Amino acid sequence: MTLIAQSSSIGRQSTPRTVGRRLQSVIIMLIVTLLLAGGIGARLVFLQVVQGERNRQLAENNRIRLIPKQPARGTIFDRKGKVLASSRLSHSVFLWPIARQQKDWPATLKRLANLLNVPESEIQKQLEKAGYTSTSLLRIARDINPAQITALEEYRSELEGVEVDIEGVRNYPNAEVAAHVLGYTGEMNDEELAKMRGQGYRLGDVIGQMGVEAAFEKPLRGEWGGQQVEVDGAGQVLRILGQKKAKAGKDVHLTLDLELQKAAERALGDRKGAIVAMDPNNGAILAMVSRPGFDPNVFSKRITPETWKKVQSKGNPFVNRALRVFPPASTFKIVTASAAIESGKYSPNTVLATYPYLTVGGIRFGEWNHAGFGPLGFVGALAMSSDTFFYQIGRGIGGPTLIDWTRKYGFGQKTGIELASEELPGLVADAAWKQKRLKQEWTIGDTVNMSIGQGFLQTTPLQVAVMFAVPANGGYRVKPHLLKDNEASKNWRESLNMKPETLRVVRQGLRSVVTSGTGKAVNAPTLPPVAGKSGTAEAPPGLSHAWFGAYAPADKPKIVVVAFAEHSGGGGGKVAAPMVLKVLESYFQVKKPVKPAK
């Protein structure tokens, strides 16, 4: 201290007073220096020891970033190359959690919530799930509009750690058309992420959630790429350190015919139900409609509670009714007739009397016209859809034979279509099932009920289409499929080994349904010969279901169409047959005469 005082006073005469002042100044300076050094040291200890790991991570990640590159999702085409689903570019908003400390995020989230019209709690939940030290970008909004993009740019200085980037979102150019077949895409939930994390999926990834989008997720998805880049303090990229190009997903070509699909959609209209059109020779699905429907485009951005409520108000719009189960009603008489002739208990020329009702086991089973039709053979019974004729047939061949042929036709099992997770197998009840479920014995009444497609029997519209394909293609059960180049399904045909006379009688009966029976609605002179069968299923406590299935041309079929109207309250020939007619007219390109202007 003395040395410092002496060196500071060179060339000047010191007095006791000035020496005291100088010593006081030096002491003060030393105290301040010691305090500053102590404060800085304490801060360094805090930064290096207490927050050392976080700051090392911040320093590294503020310099080097991994930018994932989303692969372009494959496009879905119809059989003629028309686009059914593709991707379009849009702007999404991301958070970079590690860019800020946890205490700094609340103000930013509040601002974002106002700009994006997203609840702050929703963004907060996402951020907490990802973790505040996450180095991955976290998507919080998709497909934002130009006004929101502008607003985010204006408040850029307040939105550190927030980025707007371009990514692909799914686009369905035909809106609701084929929605249940195509499905939709959406962000993974926690359960899906836990199940698929090992396959390279991450929080916020978008996957197929239904239909073809889900069934063909793996080829459609492609492979993610990314870049490792060096950035400056402002987050601007200085240089690319390494990169892996994203591998685009594969395109998928379906068997659907877009124009026929639209015709089927128009034919079903707003009725709750389903329509299936299929090639009876190889199982290719040409059209599949279910109502009520939905627009899959709503899932390309955040769904507000109001939007979700509107979608759900239609009544289970995400249920594909073509793959749900209902009693097949009189369409099933195709199976009963086949089982009867194939069993050898009834000849193709069998004629039976019909009645207003038939009493079996003390129970009256009525004829649908409450009068009977007089004596009928198989052809006439199919044409008139006589219940009492088939009651007698069912009673005569017995439950085991009828059940066996029901299963041969493909009922009670999934058809093999690619939408396996959504398809129900239906129900073919037997004595063992009834005993297990109801603790009751199988009765002749159960067989009688089953003979006309009622009772415990449950089938899907798609299964009914497969049933119609059997007489149409000469006795083969086919496997329905949606993938155009699905060679395994195209070539899969299982012969039921039916006698030629069985097929002849069934085919004649189905043709007579259209020419002189309950299916005259499809007997149009503008169409080639059509064969078909109607059905009206009892569905208490609600109104009855209406069915109609047909194939054409009757002599060499190219198409099977099945229409189903749930709780329509009308007969199949009156409600469902006109729907089938419209689909057939579209398929055979029947041109309607133009009405002259008034």
Side-chain angles (χ1 to χ4, degrees):
M1 197 176 293
T2 306
L3 290 172
I4 295 173
Q6 288 175 348
S7 63
S8 322
S9 56
I10 294 174
R12 296 174 60 182
Q13 184 64 42
S14 297
T15 65
R17 187 173 181 180
T18 57
V19 170
R21 287 178 179 174
R22 286 172 183 170
L23 285 173
Q24 187 179 16
S25 299
V26 171
I27 291 169
I28 292 171
M29 287 175 65
L30 282 172
I31 292 171
V32 171
T33 302
L34 289 171
L35 287 174
L36 286 172
I40 292 171
R43 179 60 179 166
L44 285 172
V45 169
F46 177 75
L47 291 173
Q48 291 175 2
V49 178
V50 181
Q51 286 195 322
E53 181 58 33
R54 172 176 172 81
N55 285 321
R56 278 193 294 274
Q57 192 176 10
L58 277 171
E60 182 64 19
N61 285 286
N62 275 332
R63 189 176 67 83
I64 298 174
R65 283 185 52 188
L66 293 174
I67 304 177
K69 292 296 180 183
Q70 181 190 44
R73 194 171 179 86
T75 301
I76 303 174
F77 297 94
D78 85 334
R79 66 188 302 109
K80 297 177 181 177
K82 295 179 180 177
V83 175
L84 299 175
S86 60
S87 296
R88 61 179 174 81
L89 297 179
S90 73
H91 289 82
S92 296
V93 182
F94 298 86
L95 301 185
W96 191 23
I98 200 171
R100 311 189 70 177
Q101 291 190 18
Q102 182 174 346
K103 64 182 181 61
D104 297 326
W105 277 111
T108 301
L109 300 190
K110 186 174 183 179
R111 174 68 72 187
L112 282 173
N114 291 331
L115 295 177
L116 300 175
N117 194 27
V118 176
E120 184 179 345
S121 58
E122 188 176 306
I123 307 176
Q124 179 74 38
K125 186 178 179 181
Q126 286 181 269
L127 182 56
E128 289 175 353
K129 187 186 295 184
Y132 288 95
T133 59
S134 172
T135 59
S136 299
L137 291 177
L138 173 67
R139 183 194 303 105
I140 60 168
R142 303 172 67 197
D143 201 24
I144 62 174
N145 59 47
Q148 290 171 321
I149 296 171
T150 302
L152 288 168
E153 182 62 29
E154 289 177 356
Y155 289 96
R156 187 175 180 181
S157 61
E158 300 178 25
L159 301 175
E160 184 182 346
V162 179
E163 297 186 14
V164 178
D165 204 354
I166 295 175
E167 66 172 353
V169 298
R170 216 54 172 155
N171 180 52
Y172 302 89
N174 302 292
E176 289 195 11
V177 175
H180 291 89
V181 176
L182 298 174
Y184 62 94
T185 61
E187 286 192 21
M188 305 179 77
N189 57 36
D190 293 342
E191 184 180 340
E192 290 166 336
L193 180 60
K195 189 185 300 182
M196 303 175 73
R197 191 186 291 275
Q199 301 173 40
Y201 288 87
R202 295 161 295 183
L203 182 68
D205 274 5
V206 173
I207 63 169
Q209 297 283 358
M210 177 183 167
V212 168
E213 293 279 21
F216 297 102
E217 163 66 18
K218 189 172 181 180
L220 284 168
R221 173 180 169 81
E223 294 180 12
W224 279 75
Q227 291 180 329
Q228 188 179 43
V229 299
E230 183 180 356
V231 298
D232 60 17
Q236 300 298 314
V237 175
L238 299 176
R239 61 189 177 117
I240 298 174
L241 303 176
Q243 64 179 330
K244 176 189 174 184
K245 288 187 177 180
K247 187 177 180 181
K250 294 180 180 178
D251 295 338
V252 171
H253 294 260
L254 301 182
T255 57
L256 289 185
D257 183 313
L258 179 58
E259 295 310 313
L260 190 68
Q261 178 74 26
K262 289 179 178 179
E265 305 255 358
R266 290 192 296 268
L268 186 56
D270 292 328
R271 287 187 182 277
K272 185 179 288 188
I275 291 179
V276 175
M278 183 180 75
D279 184 331
N281 301 297
N282 61 21
I285 300 297
L286 306 176
M288 181 182 283
V289 185
S290 178
R291 285 285 189 273
F294 64 96
D295 183 352
N297 287 303
V298 301
F299 295 97
S300 293
K301 58 177 67 179
R302 177 181 172 272
I303 301 178
T304 63
E306 294 76 21
T307 301
W308 182 247
K309 185 177 180 181
K310 184 178 179 181
V311 171
Q312 289 283 54
S313 67
K314 296 180 179 180
N316 298 323
F318 302 107
V319 172
N320 187 346
R321 283 171 169 76
L323 306 177
R324 288 297 189 265
V325 295
F326 310 91
S330 292
T331 62
F332 183 76
K333 290 171 182 175
I334 293 172
V335 176
T336 307
S338 301
I341 301 173
E342 287 293 314
S343 71
K345 295 182 179 180
Y346 293 92
S347 77
N349 300 318
T350 295
V351 175
L352 299 175
T354 60
Y355 310 94
Y357 60 87
L358 197 69
T359 303
V360 179
I363 301 174
R364 279 190 176 187
F365 293 86
E367 182 63 79
W368 69 266
N369 72 346
H370 308 292
F373 299 93
L376 290 175
F378 280 104
V379 173
L382 285 168
M384 295 294 105
S385 197
S386 171
D387 291 332
T388 55
F389 178 92
F390 285 98
Y391 292 153
Q392 295 174 77
I393 294 294
R395 182 175 60 180
I397 63 176
T401 298
L402 183 56
I403 290 167
D404 180 50
W405 273 94
T406 303
R407 290 175 175 153
K408 283 184 178 180
Y409 264 86
F411 294 112
Q413 58 189 289
K414 293 188 177 185
T415 64
I417 194 169
E418 295 91 336
L419 309 181
S421 64
E422 299 168 46
E423 182 183 21
L424 296 181
L427 174 63
V428 178
D430 55 18
W433 177 89
K434 189 178 180 185
Q435 184 62 47
K436 182 178 180 180
R437 291 293 298 271
L438 305 177
K439 304 292 189 267
Q440 297 175 5
E441 297 294 322
W442 186 269
T443 68
I444 189 64
D446 294 325
T447 304
V448 166
N449 247 338
M450 186 177 179
S451 70
I452 64 164
Q454 293 283 172
F456 301 118
L457 186 62
Q458 294 286 305
T459 67
T460 69
L462 181 59
Q463 289 174 331
V464 172
V466 171
M467 177 190 71
F468 273 96
V470 173
N473 64 31
Y476 294 88
R477 182 157 64 92
V478 296
K479 182 184 289 185
H481 61 278
L482 287 162
L483 189 63
K484 189 179 179 184
D485 58 357
N486 189 339
E487 297 300 329
S489 292
K490 277 180 9 183
N491 298 323
W492 190 93
R493 281 159 56 101
E494 182 179 73
S495 175
L496 301 192
N497 298 313
M498 297 170 71
K499 302 169 186 174
E501 55 265 35
T502 304
L503 287 167
R504 176 181 56 80
V505 169
V506 172
R507 291 181 69 140
Q508 285 180 358
L510 298 181
R511 176 65 182 141
S512 295
V513 168
V514 175
T515 58
S516 58
T518 58
K520 293 179 182 177
V522 296
N523 193 27
T526 53
L527 289 174
V530 179
K533 184 71 189 78
S534 62
T536 306
E538 295 178 5
L543 298 174
S544 59
H545 305 316
W547 289 90
F548 198 87
Y551 57 80
D555 56 340
K556 198 173 182 180
K558 296 179 180 178
I559 183 173
V560 162
V561 182
V562 170
F564 168 75
E566 185 178 341
H567 295 303
S568 63
K574 290 184 178 180
V575 176
M579 300 180 194
V580 172
L581 175 65
K582 291 177 181 178
V583 178
L584 290 174
E585 286 177 337
S586 174
Y587 181 83
F588 291 105
Q589 298 183 342
V590 174
K591 294 182 179 180
K592 295 285 187 180
V594 179
K595 293 182 180 180
K598 292 184 180 180

